[in-house]
Amino acid sequence: MGEEKSSPVLNYSNILGEIKMMFKLRNDSFIRIFDNFGYIVNQQKKNDRIYDKIGSIFLQQILREPQEIITVTKKIVDKFNDVPFKKVYADFKNFLSELERNYFILTANSLNELNKKEANHEENIDNFSNKSLIGSKSPKLESTKTFLNKYFFTNPTVFALQIELTTFCNEHCLHCYIPQKYRNTLLTYKSICGILDQARDMQTLAVSFSGGEPMSHPDFIKILEYAREKDFSITILSNLTLLNTEILETLKRINVNQIQVSLYSMTPKIHDSITKIAGSFSKTYNAIKSLIKNNIPLRISCPLTKLNYISYKEVLQFGQKNNIKVDTDFTIMARSDYSTDNLQFRLTSEEIQTVLHDIFIYNSKYTQSLLKYKPYSVEEKQQDNERPLCGVGFNKIAISSSGNVIPCAGWHNLKLGHIGDDKLLDIWTNSFHLNNIRKLKQKDFSECVNCEAKKYCSICLLRNFNEYNGDMLKFNKIQCEVAFQTMNTAKELFFDKNIHFEERLDM
């Protein structure tokens, strides 16, 4: 009997065994592919990874729909010249294992098991340090934030987009940057869908919906569902007074990244005095409790005025008790039409000093970040002076409810283009004003170049623009005062007295 000839068809089962392991992207994870790297993030755990060009080939194979590892390996093996199938399979499987360990994906031996793991995933998982896997053979890894900033500063990309759905609001907050006379505009559902389509093609990851009050938009739920369909990480800025059962169920279903809610005090009378709507605290507070109960991620925004700065520490304590981050702003911004009547509620230097003491005592994460500050070296100062001022024009942009593309929310009087006239990509690339903003560096504010409080300061072109009648390059003395107060308060409480942070918190 003659010798049996080998089959030209490779029998994968003989090589690998009867393996039918499946995998899928977790509902709270997102992937974006850029020129020479891939990015994956888990929005729930704030954990992310960056992979080089080879790794991004693997990353592109991961979908929300379940797939078999062996089937995907067959599809990609030709992308790796002269690499045996078994080697590609092993590398891909190891790649997936690393992703699952860090809560980006799920793997299982059957579809049923995969679905069960998705439904019963652990809620209390420790956060991971965000490290870039680019150059992973090097013992020194840079943070993903540092890597992405470097990339976006040389390759501007709309990574984050804020869409102002409407300027209408059911509250009338005394510090609001939107003038009352302009609170009557609305983006149509069709326009919003068109914007989201364009943003998805541009590899935008994060979309924020704001107002006015975004929940007042008649198509709010449909907008959220479409954004979910286009696979964005979704954030909503709201006062939550219009939250109802239908919206709540939608928020749970679309797996929202975060709700940023305005809460001005834990004292109802103080909160309502700022919103100018009686009973608004009760509605907002009850909505917050409802979101907490339903495990919907929250972040509290508490801008400070003369009316509520004394009670800010109570908001901080409420946030800590419920594991909610609390942000503040104690130099409220002038209105977008250059009117400054709302600045009468801005804190004085003495009032800011009181707030800073409360923040240092009750906001541990903020304080720990400041304690890491060290004096600039000559080299660091030179590098810092060459940095752009912020992410506007590099990784983020906004669209107003009138359809105007603007640098960021609140910058209504600097129109970059209109979504009804041009594509978002064309405006992003060709806008005269945006390209001028991109050219600005820290050194363009000569008063700040050698300032000892520079690490405690953040130059904001928008604040300057609104407060100084459209002059974004005007030196803002208020921001400067706050920077020095922050530095001096930190010295007084910690550095000069050599008090250890944890000891101070126990006092």
Side-chain angles (χ1 to χ4, degrees):
M1 190 167 78
E3 184 178 344
E4 183 179 355
K5 294 182 179 180
S6 60
S7 169
V9 179
L10 183 60
N11 189 329
Y12 295 103
S13 296
N14 289 343
I15 295 177
L16 303 171
E18 292 292 339
I19 299 174
K20 292 187 178 180
M21 183 172 283
M22 308 183 77
F23 67 97
K24 70 183 290 290
L25 189 66
R26 286 175 58 116
N27 286 339
D28 47 10
S29 294
F30 297 84
I31 293 171
R32 292 295 185 268
I33 304 298
F34 298 97
D35 295 334
N36 57 357
F37 69 93
Y39 179 75
I40 187 168
V41 59
N42 180 285
Q43 67 179 17
Q44 181 187 10
K45 304 305 165 192
K46 310 305 179 190
N47 182 36
D48 60 356
R49 292 287 187 275
I50 291 172
Y51 291 92
D52 61 16
K53 198 164 187 177
I54 298 298
S56 69
I57 293 176
F58 283 165
L59 208 58
Q60 290 178 67
Q61 313 310 315
I62 301 171
L63 307 175
R64 298 206 178 277
E65 296 75 30
Q67 302 179 88
E68 290 186 5
I69 296 177
I70 192 169
T71 301
V72 173
T73 306
K74 292 177 187 177
K75 185 170 68 173
I76 64 173
V77 67
D78 291 340
K79 295 180 182 291
F80 301 93
N81 295 330
D82 302 322
V83 180
F85 175 89
K86 194 171 183 178
K87 170 65 174 171
V88 175
Y89 177 87
D91 287 349
F92 186 47
K93 188 177 178 182
N94 288 337
F95 179 83
L96 295 176
S97 295
E98 193 274 336
L99 290 182
E100 183 169 38
R101 283 194 302 273
N102 290 286
Y103 300 96
F104 296 117
I105 69 166
L106 296 169
T107 66
N109 292 320
S110 70
L111 183 58
N112 186 48
E113 183 184 347
L114 205 58
N115 291 335
K116 283 183 179 179
K117 289 179 79 170
E118 183 76 77
N120 300 314
H121 67 274
E122 296 178 52
E123 295 295 339
N124 300 311
I125 308 168
D126 291 335
N127 286 338
F128 299 88
S129 59
N130 295 335
K131 297 295 183 181
S132 165
L133 294 189
I134 287 188
S136 56
K137 292 182 180 179
S138 168
K140 193 171 184 179
L141 301 177
E142 65 182 350
S143 72
T144 51
K145 180 180 179 181
T146 299
F147 177 88
L148 290 173
N149 281 341
K150 287 180 181 178
Y151 176 79
F152 293 139
F153 287 155
T154 55
N155 302 273
T157 305
V158 184
F159 196 61
L161 172 68
Q162 184 165 339
I163 303 176
E164 182 185 79
L165 301 184
T166 176
T167 51
F168 172 79
C169 188
N170 59 335
E171 294 184 339
H172 308 290
C173 298
L174 51 83
H175 62 283
C176 183
Y177 60 73
I178 301 177
Q180 186 65 41
K181 61 185 177 182
Y182 295 137
R183 298 184 188 182
N184 56 3
T185 55
L186 180 88
L187 265 176
T188 66
Y189 174 70
K190 182 178 179 181
S191 295
I192 294 166
C193 290
I195 293 168
L196 294 176
D197 288 343
Q198 294 180 59
R200 189 63 185 86
D201 290 340
M202 295 168 68
Q203 292 299 302
T204 300
L205 171 70
V207 171
S208 300
F209 295 119
S210 65
E213 172 47 54
M215 291 187 184
S216 69
H217 195 290
D219 295 310
F220 180 66
I221 290 177
K222 287 173 59 180
I223 292 166
L224 293 185
E225 290 173 338
Y226 193 77
R228 172 73 279 171
E229 180 184 325
K230 302 303 290 187
D231 203 33
F232 290 107
S233 178
I234 303 167
T235 295
I236 300 164
L237 286 64
S238 171
N239 59 42
L240 290 182
T241 58
L242 300 179
L243 183 72
N244 56 34
T245 301
E246 187 180 10
I247 293 177
L248 180 61
E249 290 302 316
T250 302
L251 294 176
K252 291 164 65 176
R253 185 173 67 255
I254 68 167
N255 197 33
V256 67
N257 172 43
Q258 183 173 261
I259 308 289
Q260 182 175 312
V261 56
S262 302
L263 181 67
Y264 302 111
S265 175
M266 299 309 299
T267 303
K269 186 177 180 180
I270 296 176
H271 178 95
D272 293 357
S273 69
I274 292 175
T275 66
K276 297 196 244 182
I277 299 294
S280 60
F281 171 82
S282 178
K283 291 181 179 179
T284 295
Y285 179 76
N286 289 334
I288 288 173
K289 299 298 283 186
S290 180
L291 294 186
I292 292 173
K293 181 179 178 181
N294 286 276
N295 295 315
I296 294 174
L298 271 170
R299 190 181 191 123
I300 292 173
S301 175
C302 183
L304 296 182
T305 70
K306 291 181 179 297
L307 279 68
N308 69 327
Y309 78 97
I310 289 294
S311 61
Y312 175 59
K313 61 186 177 185
E314 296 166 3
V315 180
L316 277 174
Q317 290 170 320
F318 172 77
Q320 289 179 336
K321 181 180 177 181
N322 292 280
N323 197 29
I324 301 171
K325 186 172 180 180
V326 178
D327 296 321
T328 191
D329 173 12
F330 31 75
T331 57
I332 55 178
M333 184 171 66
R335 302 197 200 279
S336 59
D337 64 350
Y338 310 136
S339 58
T340 57
D341 59 295
N342 62 334
L343 299 188
Q344 64 181 296
F345 301 103
R346 182 184 271 173
L347 303 185
T348 64
S349 295
E350 293 75 18
E351 290 164 344
I352 290 175
Q353 188 78 2
T354 298
V355 173
L356 283 169
H357 275 77
D358 287 343
I359 290 175
F360 281 126
I361 299 301
Y362 296 105
N363 191 337
S364 58
K365 290 186 178 179
Y366 178 79
T367 308
Q368 285 173 322
S369 68
L370 289 185
L371 293 181
K372 296 176 182 177
Y373 286 179
K374 297 178 180 178
Y376 275 119
S377 66
V378 175
E379 183 180 2
E380 285 175 328
K381 188 177 290 185
Q382 291 174 341
Q383 291 175 347
D384 191 67
N385 286 331
E386 294 298 325
R387 280 195 304 110
L389 295 167
C390 66
V392 168
F394 293 99
N395 62 12
K396 61 184 179 181
I397 203 168
I399 299 175
S400 75
S401 57
S402 60
N404 289 330
V405 180
I406 54 180
C408 62
W411 209 331
H412 291 96
N413 268 356
L414 188 62
K415 178 181 175 181
L416 308 177
H418 192 279
I419 54 150
D421 300 327
D422 297 292
K423 296 292 186 183
L424 181 59
L425 178 59
D426 292 337
I427 297 171
W428 175 257
T429 306
N430 302 318
S431 165
F432 171 80
H433 294 300
L434 203 58
N435 281 319
N436 279 342
I437 290 174
R438 289 181 180 126
K439 294 175 184 176
L440 294 174
K441 300 287 192 298
Q442 299 281 337
K443 65 183 180 183
D444 292 316
F445 285 81
S446 57
E447 300 93 336
C448 309
V449 169
N450 295 309
C451 179
E452 63 174 320
K454 194 170 185 181
K455 282 193 174 182
Y456 298 84
C457 183
S458 178
I459 298 171
C460 181
L461 297 174
L462 166 58
R463 289 177 184 274
N464 298 349
F465 189 89
N466 283 1
E467 190 164 343
Y468 299 114
N469 202 36
D471 186 354
M472 72 177 78
L473 297 178
K474 182 82 172 178
F475 176 66
N476 195 315
K477 293 182 180 179
I478 299 298
Q479 292 296 109
C480 184
E481 287 180 16
V482 171
F484 272 95
Q485 283 181 308
T486 304
M487 180 183 72
N488 291 332
T489 304
K491 285 183 177 181
E492 172 195 341
L493 292 179
F494 302 103
F495 298 123
D496 287 350
K497 295 182 179 180
N498 197 28
I499 298 175
H500 193 261
F501 174 68
E502 285 77 10
E503 294 173 347
R504 179 69 194 187
L505 287 185
D506 291 336
M507 292 174 64

